[in-house]
Amino acid sequence: MKSTTAGLALFAATVTALGLTACGSDNNTGGSAAGTAGGASTSAECAGKNTLTAEGSTAQQNAIAVFNQAWVKQCAGKNLSYNPTGSGAGREQFIAGHVDFAGSDSPLSDAQVTTAAERCHGNPAWHLPLVFGPVSMAYHLNGVEHLVLNGDVLARIFSGAITSWDDPALVALNPGVELPALAITPIYRSDSSGTTDNFQKYLSAAAPHAWTKGEGSEFQGGVGEGAQKSAGVAQAVQSTPGAIGYVEKGFADKAELPSAMLDSGAGVVAATDESAGVAIQAAGFVAEDSNDMRLDLRSLYGTKQAAAYPLVLVTYEIVCSKGYEPDTSAAVKSFLKTASTTGQDGLAAAGYVRLPEQLKRRLSAAIDAIQ
């Protein structure tokens, strides 16, 4: 896993360098230099300190790079230094006050809600859903270009009940496909991961009778081989014949791994931006009248809507609602505004889904309310 660690370190350095190469001013208010060289329409859009820090989800690291490029272009001299250490580490670093916000594929736990409020000087932390994308079931089967799975089969694979690719349940889903008599090697995230949490929540919603292992950021299946971070899962699947792993589609595509299609009962659907977007429309909020925008994912993962790919990753930026220093809150709002508007333009090429307009309007109001 040394190469994976080195790659993540290089990514963090590259994101920092992106911002630093655009620096033309050390003016923390993002004044006229930002308005001219950076293309910002008003200095208020580029207010606050020049450098923000964030840590967490590896699933959103490529989206964060896109957002940072947009922010650099919009506001000369600005930069986000993002450390992709995993959702669990990101939440911990945010609560400890070591970073300005966290990127996380899972919301704060009940205990963390309390400690996060302490970090925010007595104010609640908010979950702002900024990045969506299909989670690929990437696999390594030579000669098998098209593979169909469903929630029940995936639950049994990742709990050890199905162990060979020629299992009758797989054969029934793939008529006419020559599946080999090859052992299945499930690949899971060995680090604390919001992608794992999302995957296990999907299994619980889509196959409640087959998946009884539970949920959470730690893999509960008890079988397979673990790999660190999203890049590590893709690398492990790539190097292991018979392997299958859950990983964000952008990482699967970069590794040139095929992605299985899912059949939720309304037909076979491939993992695409469009099919993930259809599924996102089914998601509701835990609290409808709140700027804390945690999503109720069971409605999404359990959907049987035609043309919907339900295994979708939802990742949050976890921020203080109040309690920042003024120059920090202004910069956080500036970055998030850019990410939710012009930053959306480059997401498709990075393997993510643009924000639906209805969600974007609600997100904009929440960002405006940060203090």
Side-chain angles (χ1 to χ4, degrees):
M1 300 306 300
K2 291 181 179 179
S3 60
T4 300
T5 303
L8 293 175
L10 177 60
F11 169 83
T14 301
V15 169
T16 302
L18 268 172
L20 295 178
T21 55
C23 289
S25 169
D26 59 2
N27 180 359
N28 284 346
T29 62
S32 60
T36 55
S41 58
T42 67
S43 59
E45 292 177 355
C46 298
K49 64 184 183 181
N50 277 345
T51 300
L52 287 173
T53 58
E55 185 166 340
S57 164
T58 63
Q60 63 173 254
Q61 69 182 67
N62 294 333
I64 290 291
V66 171
F67 297 155
N68 196 48
Q69 286 178 319
W71 198 36
V72 167
K73 184 177 180 180
Q74 179 78 1
C75 302
K78 300 294 189 185
N79 178 62
L80 171 67
S81 180
Y82 184 80
N83 193 9
T85 55
S87 295
R91 294 192 299 273
E92 291 171 0
Q93 292 300 303
F94 170 72
I95 289 169
H98 296 157
V99 293
D100 296 317
F101 64 89
S104 180
D105 313 331
S106 298
L108 297 166
S109 67
D110 290 344
Q112 288 176 327
V113 166
T114 300
T115 52
E118 294 172 0
R119 177 259 193 268
C120 296
H121 302 284
N123 302 291
W126 287 345
H127 302 78
L128 303 182
L130 191 61
V131 181
F132 295 82
V135 175
S136 170
M137 295 311 307
Y139 65 93
H140 185 161
L141 286 176
N142 294 332
V144 178
E145 297 181 1
H146 301 285
L147 179 69
V148 177
L149 303 171
N150 61 23
D152 180 78
V153 165
L154 279 172
R156 290 195 278 160
I157 287 173
F158 279 84
S159 61
I162 292 177
T163 59
S164 177
W165 283 108
D166 63 349
D167 186 278
L170 283 162
V171 172
L173 284 171
N174 295 274
V177 178
E178 292 191 21
L179 294 173
L182 179 66
I184 299 175
T185 302
I187 305 294
Y188 62 88
R189 283 282 293 271
S190 58
D191 53 323
S192 180
S193 163
T195 309
T196 297
D197 188 24
N198 280 256
F199 178 60
Q200 294 183 138
K201 284 177 178 174
Y202 162 74
L203 295 179
S204 293
H209 300 295
W211 184 259
T212 58
K213 297 287 188 175
E215 302 171 2
S217 299
E218 308 294 333
F219 179 65
Q220 304 296 320
V223 297
E225 297 179 3
Q228 289 273 325
K229 315 266 188 307
S230 299
V233 170
Q235 184 181 53
V237 174
Q238 191 178 47
S239 62
T240 309
I244 183 170
Y246 55 90
V247 69
E248 301 74 37
K249 190 171 183 294
F251 285 88
D253 290 346
K254 186 175 181 180
E256 298 183 344
L257 291 168
S259 298
M261 297 174 283
L262 293 181
D263 187 346
S264 299
V268 176
V269 181
T272 66
D273 295 347
E274 293 76 15
S275 61
V278 173
I280 290 168
Q281 300 298 328
F285 294 94
V286 173
E288 288 296 338
D289 298 320
S290 172
N291 286 325
D292 184 14
M293 298 174 60
R294 284 178 295 167
L295 290 167
D296 177 7
L297 297 179
R298 294 194 180 278
S299 56
L300 187 161
Y301 292 146
T303 185
K304 298 188 183 303
Q305 184 175 342
Y309 182 86
L311 184 45
V312 175
L313 181 75
V314 178
T315 76
Y316 301 98
E317 310 315 319
I318 300 177
V319 303
C320 289
S321 58
K322 296 179 182 179
Y324 286 122
E325 293 294 328
D327 63 337
T328 300
S329 65
V332 168
K333 292 167 73 169
S334 175
F335 173 79
L336 293 176
K337 276 288 189 184
T338 301
S340 62
T341 54
T342 57
Q344 297 290 301
D345 294 341
L347 285 183
Y352 301 94
V353 180
R354 292 176 65 95
L355 290 171
E357 285 302 318
Q358 184 176 359
L359 189 148
K360 188 187 295 186
R361 289 192 293 271
R362 180 166 173 171
L363 183 62
S364 178
I367 294 170
D368 285 338
I370 295 171
Q371 298 180 26

